[in-house]
Amino acid sequence: MTDYSDLIQPDKGQDARPIHLVDKKSYDEWLKGRNPRERAHLAAVGFKPDAFVHAILPGDDPDKWAVVTTVANVDSLSAWCLAKLGQILPEGRYRVEGRQPGKALFGWMSAQYRFDTYKSKPPVKGPRVLLTTDVGSIAPMVAEMHATALVRDLVNTPAADMGPAAIEKAAERIAKAHGGKLTVTKGEALEQGYPMIHAVGRAAAKHHAPRLIEIEWGKDSHPRIALVGKGISFDSGGLDIKPAAGMRLMKKDMGGAAHVLALAELVMASGLPVRLHCLVAAAENAISGDAFRPGDVLKSRLGLTVEIGNTDAEGRLVLGDALTRAGEARPELIVDFATLTGAARVALGPDLPPLFANDDALADAMLAGGIERDDPLWRMPLWDGYADLLETDIADLGNAGSSPFAGSITAALFLKRFVPEGVAWAHLDTFAWRPSAKPGRPKGGAALGLRAAWAMLQARYNRRGKN
């Protein structure tokens, strides 16, 4: 695993190739300050200050070249302004001329992420190191990059190697590293205490048996928060089997679990003054003679009965039991992550997770965190007018809406039934995947909403901890 702390280093005046940042407004003035050879070179290569365009500026010595790159606004760098350079430049040290890289430090590191565990001869490329005099920003940014890489690694790992037991191992590592207490419920105790998690996972092979994984950390005197993740290690759709195209990416259906484990590690590693309760409902939605069926009625941990309209709407079932468990400890805040609905992708596409929240201040803080970290979210309505779509003739509610419309909203309304009254709650229907690459954001497993949620938690609890 890459040690991202090697990629960002304090600037102590060591040799480094300069990176000049320009935008459309500043380019002409910057160009006037270059020597005739550089101006001639830029004219020869047809350099224009368009987005993500860069050029190499030759120096007097063959190894003394520099880089010029265009950004949208030199006075307001995004996380992704330097990502393309971080990906394609040769190994070596670099510094941004005349300004701090700021948020662009993250994209520089993110561009150097690789998942090559299964390659017999992984490509080798030395590190591209970026220098900064803002030394205090290095450790927090590196921590966020390690969390992002953890999400990517967990999601990218094939389901055969990332079943419920492997998810438990990841949680065990995090708990041990930071003094957390790990509790795992499985077998008969799971069947009795968390019947919906058990029902979803009972058809899987024994080595992929379902379980509820919990990490608790922090002082009892601190405000209690819960992070809840959907950990469906592979989703065949169950007896309502998915088509082949729909099943191809279902190793990513534990993306919610990956997000909350990474977020929990950020909380613990930073010493955020909270009482953390992290819960992962881990199961494989497989097919066998013991698979749960359409038309079955399941009893939840909360006591509500749920009629199964579709076995491919299993994520909300496991989350229902996990949310109930989280609520029993009466936290002041619950945040859940889940790769829950295809309807969310139809509404907002792969890059923009829908945010549902029962608390306006919490929603505003999440949205603000997304803007601040360049990890955007979009608030969707928890509109109770659609609650009747979850009604069923023989049980308290159904797991699949009776209409093809508003699928992400009805799924969120289902979850809301398992959240205690008076507890602030946010639900992110994340995709956890990028279908195509962008600078600093490779194709494959993706942390979408992670940094927004972390920014919210920092703003909410670091401030309170100082009072």
Side-chain angles (χ1 to χ4, degrees), residues 161-225:
D161 297 331
M162 190 49 63
I167 297 173
E168 178 187 330
K169 285 289 185 185
E172 181 181 26
R173 178 199 65 79
I174 292 168
K176 283 184 176 180
H178 303 287
K181 176 187 176 184
L182 180 73
T183 303
V184 180
T185 306
K186 52 189 174 182
E188 185 177 350
L190 185 77
E191 182 176 3
Q192 296 300 316
Y194 304 91
M196 292 200 296
I197 299 175
H198 168 77
V200 169
R202 73 190 187 202
K206 288 183 178 180
H207 64 284
H208 287 322
R211 62 205 69 197
L212 179 71
I213 303 162
E214 300 175 78
I215 300 173
E216 293 192 81
W217 173 90
K219 297 179 180 179
D220 290 338
S221 59
H222 287 159
R224 177 177 281 272
I225 67 170

Side-chain angles (χ1 to χ4, degrees), residues 204-359:
K206 288 183 178 180
H207 64 284
H208 287 322
R211 62 205 69 197
L212 179 71
I213 303 162
E214 300 175 78
I215 300 173
E216 293 192 81
W217 173 90
K219 297 179 180 179
D220 290 338
S221 59
H222 287 159
R224 177 177 281 272
I225 67 170
L227 306 176
V228 182
K230 172 188 171 184
I232 299 298
S233 59
F234 188 81
D235 183 16
S236 68
L239 293 176
D240 288 309
I241 190 170
K242 292 178 182 288
M247 211 184 298
R248 175 64 180 87
L249 295 180
M250 283 301 101
K251 68 176 184 178
K252 76 171 187 65
D253 215 20
M254 42 64 66
H259 279 75
V260 298
L261 289 174
L263 187 54
E265 186 157 36
L266 280 170
V267 167
M268 292 186 279
S270 71
L272 195 71
V274 297
R275 182 74 170 100
L276 174 68
H277 189 191
C278 178
L279 305 96
V280 170
E284 179 181 352
N285 189 18
I287 301 171
S288 77
D290 197 27
F292 74 120
R293 295 166 286 267
D296 283 356
V297 174
L298 306 181
K299 187 174 181 179
S300 68
R301 179 177 178 84
L302 187 62
L304 292 174
T305 55
V306 180
E307 183 180 13
I308 304 304
N310 190 319
T311 61
D312 197 21
E314 85 299 329
R316 65 200 69 181
L317 299 174
V318 301
L319 282 174
D321 275 352
L323 286 167
T324 299
R325 170 72 182 108
E328 290 167 358
R330 298 302 302 179
E332 68 169 46
L333 171 68
I334 298 175
V335 179
D336 81 69
F337 283 81
T339 53
L340 206 61
T341 67
R345 313 287 77 80
V346 173
L348 298 178
D351 294 351
L352 191 59
L355 166 68
F356 296 87
N358 64 0
D359 181 277

Side-chain angles (χ1 to χ4, degrees), residues 16 64 109 126 155 253 271 287 399 404:
K64 296 297 184 182
M109 291 183 288
V155 174
D253 215 20
I287 301 171
N399 80 319

Side-chain angles (χ1 to χ4, degrees), residues 37-112:
R37 184 172 65 169
E38 290 175 330
R39 289 198 296 270
H41 174 76
L42 290 171
V45 299
F47 182 85
K48 296 183 183 300
D50 298 322
F52 296 118
V53 173
H54 78 283
I56 301 298
L57 299 174
D60 295 330
D61 185 278
D63 196 44
K64 296 297 184 182
W65 50 268
V67 185
V68 57
T69 191
T70 303
V71 298
N73 185 344
V74 294
D75 295 319
S76 181
L77 301 183
S78 78
W80 311 114
C81 284
L82 299 178
K84 185 175 181 181
L85 294 184
Q87 184 173 326
I88 66 175
L89 287 176
E91 65 178 277
R93 284 195 299 265
Y94 300 85
R95 69 163 54 85
V96 176
E97 286 293 296
R99 66 189 70 250
Q100 293 297 334
K103 291 192 292 184
L105 290 171
F106 181 82
W108 180 272
M109 291 183 288
S110 182
Q112 298 184 57

